[in-house]
Structure formats: C-alpha cells, structure tokens
Amino acid sequence: MWKIYLSSISVCVLSFYVVAQYEWQSRDAFDEIRLQMDKVNKDNCPIQHLGDLYLPEDSVSHKPDIKDVNINPIFPNRTMLLHVHNIARSRAFFWSYILQSRFIRPAINDTYDPGMMYYFLSTVADVSSNKHVNTSAIYFSPNTSYSSSYLGFFNKTFPRFAPRTYRADDFNDPIHLERISTLNTFIVQDLGAVPVDTSYDYSSDYYRINEWYKLWLPDVVSERHDTKTTYQVEIRYANNTNETFTFHGPRDSDEVPGPVKWTRPYFDCGRSNRWLVAAVSPIADIYPRHTGFRHIEYPTYTAVSVVEMEFDRIDINQCPKSLGNDGPNIFADTARCKKETTECEPIHGWGFRRGGYQCRCNPGYRLPFQVRRPYLGEIVERATSEQYYNEFNCHKIGWVQKTLVQLSRAPPVLRDIAMQTYSEYKNYTVGPDSVRASHLNIHRVLDFILGLNPENCRKLAPQQLILIGGYSFGAEEFFENEAKMALRLANFISAFLQIADPKEVFSGKRVTDKPLTEDQMIAETLSIVMGNSRIWSAGTYWDRNKFTNRTFFAPFAYKTQLNTRKFFVEDLARLNKSDELYINEEWYQFLKQRWSTNFDSLEKYYMKIKIRFNETGETMKKYEHYPNFYRAATLKHGYWGNPYYDCYGKVPMWKVPYAAPFFGWDSLKARLEFKGVVAVTMDLTKLDINQCPDKAYVPNAFKGTNKCDKKSSYCVPILGRGYETGGYKCECKQGYEYPFEDQITYYDGQLVEGEFINLVDNNKTRFHTYQCRIAAGSTTYVNFMTLFVMTCLSLLQI
C-alpha cells in the first residue's frame, strides 16, 4: 500500500513541476493561459468562478484600431480580427439605418421592420461567409425590439430579443453520413426566448458571460439627447427622384471610443462551449416610437451587434517588446531565441500555439554555413536541451565595414554591366504602351499608372484604361476581407430567397417575412461601404424581373473620400442605354453564364433554427422546417476582374473589382436559378507590389523586377509598401554575410531602387556596394603550424 502512496505523491510532484512544454523549459505566460483554458470545459463551467471564465485582456494583443487602418498596414496576423471588427461595424450601420428608415416612407398603421427570419438569416450569413467567424448575434435591450412577425403587434416590443448563430461541430451529426466535420452546420437560436430576470436572461447580472452586453448597454442618455453620431446618405432612385436621409449610427472612427469595443477572451459556457473573443458595436434607433410627440423620441442605443471568433485562431506574439511592438501583450518575451546572437521576428498563421516566430541574426552576426534560412520558432521550441544549448546560434562577423559616404559615379564598366542586365532601361516606352512591353520597365509603368487622373484619362481609349497581365497579383489575399463583405451579402440574399417563403402560412398569430424591400437592399449595400474603409463602392445587381415588382434593380453605394460621414446611393436601373446597362457588363455576363445551369458545386449550409414560442417568448421551439439548408457561393465562386481606371465613374481611380453571385428558387420552386450579383471595388494603389522572382506560370506582372544582387542575395517581400517600387529586402544567401556596420542585416529595396535609378541616370551612386560578401571566419588569428610549414617549403625552394 505504501508503494501506491509513494507513486501517487511522485505523480503529483511531477505534475506540479512539469507544466511547460518540456522539462528543461521554464514556465511562462503561455503555460499559465493554457492551464487556465484546459481547466474549464462544458461540464464544469457553470460552477467555475467567474474569473476563471475570462482570460486576461492582454492575452489578445495588437487589436485593430480603426484610427490606424488607413495609415499603417494591417499585417496578416491580424486581418481576421480586422474582418470581425468590420463585420460588427457594418451590421451596426445596417440595423441603425433600417430601424430608422421608417421615416423615409409615409406613416401607416404598419411597421417597416424586418421579420424575425431576416434577423436569423442575417446572423447566419455573417458566420457562413467566413470560416474564421464562429458566432454572430444581435442583442436588444429589454422592450426595445419591434417586429413585423406577429399579427396585431404594431408598436409593441419583445421583452427580450437576441437572434444568435454559432458554428456547430457536425462530425457526428445524423444529416452528414460522411462523419466528417464540414463547418457548415449552424445552431440558430433566439436567446431572448427565456424567462425574464433569471440566469438565462442575457441582460441580467446573473448572466455571467455578458460582458459584450455591458460594453454599450443599457444606454443611459442624460441631459443632451443629440449624443449619437449622425450620417448622411444622398439617394437617387430609378425614377430620378432624390432624397437625403440622415440617420443615427455607431460612433465614427475619429471619436473616442471608436465604433467597436473588444471583450476579454471568455468561455462561451452553455452555448458553443469554446473560448471566444468578441467585437461589439452599438445599434442606434429613435426611441420610443409612434408617440405622436416627436420631441420625446430621442436617439439611443437599443441593441449591440456582436461578432466573435475563436481564441485559438488568433496568433500570439512571443517576441520581446520593441518599437512598433510595445502594446500590452501577456505573451511578450516568451520566445526562445538566443538574445546574444539572434532576434525574434513574428510570422503569421500559427494561432494559439508556440513557435509563431523565427530567430534572425542580430546585426553584426551571420548564420552558420550549414544553415540556409533563419531558425524557425517551432523547431526551436521542440528542440531537446542538448540541441537548444549547442545550436540555434549566429556567428559574429569578424570584419565590419563602414557605409560608403563619399559617393561617385559608377565606373563605365559597372554601369554597362548593369544596363545590359536590365536592358529594359536602355530602350523603353512610356504611357499606356509601357504596360504592354515585352520587357517591363517597372518605373515607367508606375509613372503611367500613378500619373493617371480624371483629366488626362479622357484622352485614352477605353481598352487603355484596363490593366491585363497580372497587375493585381496578390489582390485575392490582400483584399480577401473586402471580398468576403460582398460574399456575406450574397450569402444572405441566397439564404433569404431559399428559406423565407412569403406565401407560407403558420399556425397562430405568427406571419412569414415579407419579400425583400428596396430600403433593405439599399441599407445592405450601403453598410458594406460604411463598414469597411477599404471599399470605395458596392452594388447589388439584380437580374431582369428577379426583384419584387421591378424589372431592373441595382442599388449602388459609394463614397468620394476617406473618413467621411456623407455617402451616396444610386439605383443604376435608371441607366437604360445598352452601353450603360449593368447586365451587359463583362463581370455580370461571366457570372450569369457560369451559373446558368449547373449548381452542384455550390456550398450547402445546414441550419438548426429555434424560434420563440410566442410573442412574450418564455421558451423556444423548433422552426417548422428543422433542420433546413440553403446553397450559396463561396469565395472561389466569385469573379476577380482586371484592374481598371474608372474615368467616367462616380469615384475616378484605379479599382480592383470582385463580384459574388446569389441564387434563389425559380417560380415553381423546382430548381435554383441565378438571381444577381453583389460587387465591390477597392483601390489598386493600396495593393503591395511583389518584385521577387517566382514560377513562370505565376500571373505577376512585376515578378523578377527587383534589383538584388542575384549572386549573393535573394529577394524577400516587405508588406505595407503599397503600389510603389522597393517593397522588398535583399537578404544574404547561404555562405554570404552583410558587410556593413548597421542596425539591419539586409539591403532595403527602396534604397536599392533609388541607387539604381542614380546609376541609370549616371549620377553619383553606391549601387555597386549593395551586395553581400563571402562569409569569412568569425575571428582572425595566426595558425603557427601552417606558418611553419609554409616557411619550410619556401626555404626548400630557395
């Protein structure tokens, strides 16, 4: 028996001390967070202490700041957080607009509010259009949500209303016989259908994980009633009538706090049972309604839009704090790079796990001869103690040069060699012909692209305003979030047209949703532009006779400047000339022909919807069709168009378009049919140019145009440089070293390009010094044996 006790004690001691990844590693913040996360599960979360259901606020670092989006680049390790931010903001704009749009229409004894199914399917589209979004919800304050889903419910409110959708694990779901997780099954519930003032009430203090609710609600408006930010929309309808509509919405990007607040990571107990991080934006409305006394109806926040993603999908930054990396970060300085000779550099795509970094050599050091690239953090983290202490070092560079100060013109021989290597700088074309040259002169191409403006573009032919041949390489990744905004609306319209049947009859007083209205489509299109600052225009283009009581319908929303509160909407159906009609556009015809017959490749999304039992909503019940599904497009089903200069458009600039199709049932509800397209456009000049070499089949017009010394260095792209030359760095190859005394260990592409232009113009330059030298020994010393042998041999020859 005493042996059993001793073994138990030893196990406890080992479990107490060995909490890091390996025994030789010390315990750090990552281990603390991992232990706290593993301690909570779906079985014990109801009885856990409230503090154990939340992680520290600084466990999510580098949160996107709306004030910084258009100034500094958002790097790939935070683009998903930015998308969650933009979705929450876009939804807040939409619901604020549509809840106040009753002032556009004449007052009648009816409500213009969307029905319950509109709310449900809207949250479904937020989740279905992006695999990284786990949850979307709209939480209303008590007795502030109006609905058109019940007879005789005019000017009445739900006690609570909170449509919420989260992604379910359908690995063992009976509707999937393959027994694989598709990530396309959603649990949709009305969390307002609960007993009021209980632990199930999301607005109650007894609801332990409702930090997202308390960030903005309840909204207490004291003294001044005009505290909500106003936005102006100029609308031009198809019959050429105009209207200016002003509505209240969430805070703008220049206000403090901004439009979106972030919650601490929390365990979604009793719901999805996962660790989530939420972006929360407020929804404004004029409240109370229909009093007959306009002076007592004031703008207030009546709801919040909450969009969440899993904490495990968010990259952590294990590098030490430094310039540009000085924000609150609990994981700071947990990387295992050897600080004596290496420095830490984060890399993206690793999520919540160790190793999302690489160890680069410090200035004045170089990699060993047998090592080709910087040490990968995952390899360092998994190394044994012997490997770690004996490897992953850089060697000191013994002789370091000073940077050349006295400049001179390059010798004719060196200049001739450079001009022969880059022959496109000897004979080149300018203007629109430069983009079609066999050997691309990147500087002349950019002179043409960046020099085009609304005045001189009218002198060119329409085909000269289109860039064909890979000039938007990388747009699919760089503008992925913007494309998903269009995909989200396309998914919602597809879901609504396939799920909501206006002719369906329910038992009791519940009525089905009405068909989509003009105001709803205008608001949806407008919210895309208002919610994402990179999108300059968006349009929802319906096919002929597919929108209710309209032959053509195409609300087009745009803005004319960044950081504005004034937007424009125009129904392009008013343009009826053949060359102006949107159904004749290339991108529209491409998608219509592509989806004219076969819809088998569309994604299939399953929903398990539970709605409220009655108007008061004490409990939930299954929707009449349970489960149900719809088919919609994914990101790859859309169309990326060639960049073009919108010379005669509303916003003249170089644009990158993306369009996503949406679908619905035909008149017999027998098969799907193409219903229209949602399209967005982005600014081409915000895209990063990639001048590094690549495979021959890669459609990049600028590949291989870097000026790195190909013998001693290789090209690595640098993010955030925009549509300019020099967006790369020249790293030394294996066996070479950076020779200069500097704070970096590479040649910056902007400096290389600038000195190369000086060389071409025969000005003073240091371009010929921008090459790595062969790596020598780390120290200089005398080998006496070698000296003795050489001396003897020389004496023998004498």
Side-chain angles (χ1 to χ4, degrees):
M1 184 64 68
W2 62 272
K3 293 183 178 180
I4 298 177
Y5 288 132
L6 285 178
S7 61
S8 302
I9 293 173
S10 62
V11 169
C12 293
V13 171
L14 288 175
S15 63
F16 179 77
Y17 283 101
V18 183
V19 292
Q21 189 174 11
Y22 297 108
E23 294 182 14
W24 64 270
Q25 296 178 352
S26 59
R27 181 171 177 172
D28 56 21
F30 182 91
D31 301 308
E32 298 286 352
I33 298 298
R34 184 77 267 175
L35 286 174
Q36 184 175 349
M37 293 175 63
D38 294 340
K39 183 173 65 174
V40 183
N41 56 53
K42 65 178 181 179
D43 298 320
N44 63 16
C45 67
I47 60 174
Q48 290 283 355
H49 186 273
L50 180 61
D52 293 333
L53 299 181
Y54 288 93
L55 298 180
E57 188 172 359
D58 57 353
S59 57
V60 178
S61 62
H62 305 80
K63 297 173 184 174
D65 186 359
I66 189 63
K67 299 176 178 58
D68 197 48
V69 169
N70 295 308
I71 300 174
N72 294 320
I74 299 295
F75 290 105
N77 61 347
R78 285 300 178 267
T79 51
M80 284 302 106
L81 275 178
L82 178 61
H83 181 67
V84 170
H85 173 285
N86 290 340
I87 286 289
R89 186 179 179 217
S90 173
R91 293 294 82 207
F93 276 121
F94 168 77
W95 292 111
S96 299
Y97 180 100
I98 204 64
L99 292 177
Q100 300 171 55
S101 64
R102 62 185 182 277
F103 297 110
I104 301 177
R105 303 300 172 190
I108 58 174
N109 190 21
D110 196 1
T111 177
Y112 296 107
D113 292 298
M116 286 195 301
M117 191 54 61
Y118 196 106
Y119 283 95
F120 289 136
L121 297 180
S122 177
T123 59
V124 169
D126 298 339
V127 182
S128 67
S129 58
N130 193 332
K131 298 288 186 182
H132 290 82
V133 176
N134 181 265
T135 304
S136 177
I138 304 162
Y139 297 93
F140 277 90
S141 291
N143 298 302
T144 58
S145 55
Y146 298 84
S147 178
S148 60
S149 295
Y150 289 94
L151 295 174
F153 207 71
F154 174 74
N155 206 24
K156 294 182 180 180
T157 59
F158 291 140
R160 305 288 187 274
F161 185 50
R164 183 176 190 263
T165 297
Y166 67 89
R167 195 184 307 274
D169 186 4
D170 55 359
F171 170 77
N172 203 29
D173 201 298
I175 61 178
H176 293 295
L177 301 179
E178 301 89 348
R179 290 298 183 267
I180 58 175
S181 184
T182 66
L183 300 179
N184 289 339
T185 300
F186 311 114
I187 305 298
V188 188
Q189 296 175 335
D190 182 2
L191 298 184
V194 294
V196 176
D197 294 329
T198 63
S199 59
Y200 299 102
D201 183 2
Y202 60 83
S203 64
S204 171
D205 291 335
Y206 300 112
Y207 201 88
R208 305 202 297 164
I209 54 172
N210 61 348
E211 182 179 347
W212 27 261
Y213 181 84
K214 296 177 181 178
L215 289 177
W216 294 103
L217 300 176
D219 184 25
V220 179
V221 180
S222 60
E223 298 180 1
R224 293 175 60 94
H225 283 184
D226 56 346
T227 58
K228 301 300 178 286
T229 309
T230 58
Y231 300 87
Q232 187 181 91
V233 184
E234 293 186 6
I235 306 174
R236 187 174 186 179
Y237 296 102
N239 57 2
N240 284 320
T241 59
N242 299 325
E243 181 171 10
T244 300
F245 178 55
T246 302
F247 71 99
H248 302 272
R251 295 179 183 270
D252 204 7
S253 57
D254 61 339
E255 298 183 82
V256 179
V260 176
K261 293 182 181 180
W262 296 90
T263 66
R264 294 175 294 171
Y266 72 97
F267 189 78
D268 194 29
C269 182
R271 307 196 297 183
S272 62
N273 295 312
R274 298 174 183 175
W275 287 95
L276 303 177
V277 177
V280 188
S281 188
I283 298 171
D285 193 7
I286 304 297
Y287 185 84
R289 291 187 178 186
H290 307 293
T291 62
F293 302 95
R294 188 66 180 86
H295 63 283
I296 67 172
E297 299 177 0
Y298 58 92
T300 182
Y301 294 146
T302 60
V304 287
S305 173
V306 181
V307 182
E308 297 155 303
M309 69 177 297
E310 287 193 54
F311 177 72
D312 285 341
R313 290 179 174 265
I314 301 175
D315 290 351
I316 60 174
N317 189 347
Q318 296 184 250
C319 296
K321 291 187 177 181
S322 59
L323 292 177
N325 183 30
D326 54 353
N329 180 13
I330 196 174
F331 303 107
D333 205 13
T334 58
R336 305 197 185 277
C337 295
K338 297 187 175 180
K339 297 181 181 179
E340 298 80 10
T341 62
T342 62
E343 60 183 0
C344 177
E345 181 181 78
I347 54 180
H348 69 278
W350 293 79
F352 182 71
R353 60 190 179 109
R354 294 183 181 272
Y357 60 90
Q358 61 182 8
C359 301
R360 298 172 43 82
C361 292
N362 281 332
Y365 291 83
R366 61 168 174 81
L367 290 170
F369 288 118
Q370 70 273 15
V371 181
R372 178 172 297 181
R373 294 292 186 267
Y375 300 112
L376 190 62
E378 186 181 29
I379 305 299
V380 178
E381 295 279 355
R382 295 183 178 182
T384 63
S385 59
E386 182 181 1
Q387 290 175 325
Y388 179 76
Y389 291 116
N390 294 327
E391 299 179 12
F392 310 118
N393 286 301
C394 289
H395 295 169
K396 188 174 180 57
I397 298 175
W399 178 54
V400 182
Q401 301 175 221
K402 292 288 185 179
T403 306
L404 186 63
V405 177
Q406 296 292 336
L407 303 183
S408 61
R409 291 186 175 88
V413 176
L414 292 179
R415 186 174 183 274
D416 290 342
I417 293 175
M419 296 301 289
Q420 290 177 7
T421 304
Y422 304 99
S423 59
E424 62 270 16
Y425 286 85
K426 296 176 63 176
N427 299 311
Y428 56 83
T429 56
V430 296
D433 295 333
S434 61
V435 301
R436 294 169 174 81
S438 56
H439 295 283
L440 199 69
N441 186 323
I442 185 173
H443 290 88
R444 302 289 79 81
V445 170
L446 293 181
D447 287 343
F448 163 68
I449 293 177
L450 301 179
L452 212 59
N453 55 57
E455 285 73 29
N456 58 22
C457 71
R458 299 176 183 271
K459 302 177 183 178
L460 302 178
Q463 60 269 22
Q464 293 177 318
L465 301 177
I466 303 176
L467 299 178
I468 301 175
Y471 286 93
S472 61
F473 174 77
E476 292 85 350
E477 179 182 1
F478 189 81
F479 292 124
E480 181 181 2
N481 288 345
E482 288 66 39
K484 287 179 179 177
M485 298 289 283
L487 183 67
R488 185 232 153 255
L489 180 52
N491 274 21
F492 165 73
I493 298 176
S494 297
F496 193 89
L497 295 180
Q498 297 173 43
I499 299 298
D501 185 2
K503 299 179 181 180
E504 192 170 8
V505 178
F506 300 119
S507 60
K509 293 190 294 182
R510 187 162 61 91
V511 295
T512 186
D513 281 28
K514 298 177 182 178
L516 296 173
T517 65
E518 186 179 31
D519 289 333
Q520 291 169 357
M521 289 297 96
I522 289 176
E524 290 281 6
T525 309
L526 178 65
S527 66
I528 294 178
V529 181
M530 300 182 73
N532 192 318
S533 59
R534 281 183 178 176
I535 297 177
W536 283 84
S537 65
T540 305
Y541 306 90
W542 289 77
D543 202 12
R544 186 191 301 267
N545 295 323
K546 300 305 179 185
F547 191 76
T548 307
N549 299 327
R550 296 287 295 272
T551 304
F552 293 109
F553 181 53
F556 176 79
Y558 63 96
K559 59 188 177 185
T560 56
Q561 61 182 12
L562 281 174
N563 304 321
T564 181
R565 298 183 187 178
K566 185 176 181 179
F567 299 86
F568 305 88
V569 175
E570 184 170 340
D571 188 354
L572 298 185
R574 69 180 188 83
L575 305 176
N576 51 16
K577 296 182 180 179
S578 298
D579 57 340
E580 296 177 341
L581 196 59
Y582 62 84
I583 63 172
N584 295 330
E585 296 289 343
E586 177 189 0
W587 45 268
Y588 190 92
Q589 288 294 325
F590 175 88
L591 289 174
K592 185 175 181 179
Q593 294 172 11
R594 164 65 182 84
W595 300 102
S596 59
T597 55
N598 192 349
F599 306 97
D600 292 340
S601 62
L602 291 177
E603 199 75 19
K604 194 174 184 179
Y605 300 100
Y606 285 91
M607 297 174 295
K608 297 180 178 180
I609 304 177
K610 289 186 177 181
I611 62 174
R612 56 181 52 231
F613 183 76
N614 53 19
E615 299 94 322
T616 55
E618 289 86 359
T619 184
M620 289 184 289
K621 67 174 183 178
K622 293 181 178 179
Y623 183 60
E624 278 73 7
H625 308 281
Y626 185 94
N628 53 6
F629 67 89
Y630 71 94
R631 293 185 179 272
T634 60
L635 199 63
K636 65 180 181 180
H637 294 142
Y639 174 78
W640 289 95
N642 291 316
Y644 68 97
Y645 192 85
D646 193 9
C647 187
Y648 300 93
K650 303 296 181 182
V651 189
M653 63 168 56
W654 285 101
K655 293 181 177 180
V656 178
Y658 175 81
F662 54 87
F663 310 91
W665 296 113
D666 60 7
S667 58
L668 300 177
K669 295 195 68 174
R671 59 185 296 273
L672 291 178
E673 66 178 4
F674 173 83
K675 294 289 186 179
V677 168
V678 178
V680 293
T681 59
M682 290 70 69
D683 186 1
L684 173 68
T685 59
K686 298 299 181 182
L687 185 65
D688 288 334
I689 288 179
N690 189 341
Q691 295 182 246
C692 295
D694 213 328
K695 302 291 191 301
Y697 55 81
V698 175
N700 179 10
F702 300 113
K703 65 183 176 185
T705 59
N706 67 89
K707 307 305 184 297
C708 294
D709 179 57
K710 296 178 176 56
K711 179 180 179 181
S712 62
S713 62
Y714 62 94
C715 175
V716 178
I718 295 180
L719 302 178
R721 295 289 176 89
Y723 218 72
E724 299 282 353
T725 58
Y728 60 90
K729 56 183 178 181
C730 302
E731 294 272 11
C732 294
K733 287 184 177 180
Q734 185 178 10
Y736 290 83
E737 63 187 14
Y738 185 75
F740 295 108
E741 184 181 17
D742 205 343
Q743 295 300 314
I744 57 177
T745 58
Y746 56 85
Y747 298 105
D748 191 289
Q750 290 182 337
L751 297 177
V752 175
E753 294 284 342
E755 295 298 336
F756 177 77
I757 293 300
N758 289 334
L759 176 72
V760 172
D761 297 338
N762 202 19
N763 296 327
K764 294 181 178 180
T765 181
R766 57 167 68 91
F767 178 74
H768 57 281
T769 67
Y770 286 163
Q771 50 186 304
C772 301
R773 71 183 182 197
I774 297 178
S778 58
T779 58
T780 303
Y781 61 91
V782 178
N783 191 322
F784 291 100
M785 181 59 69
T786 304
L787 183 62
F788 175 75
V789 172
M790 295 300 295
T791 304
C792 293
L793 291 176
S794 62
L795 292 175
L796 290 174
Q797 290 178 355
I798 294 175

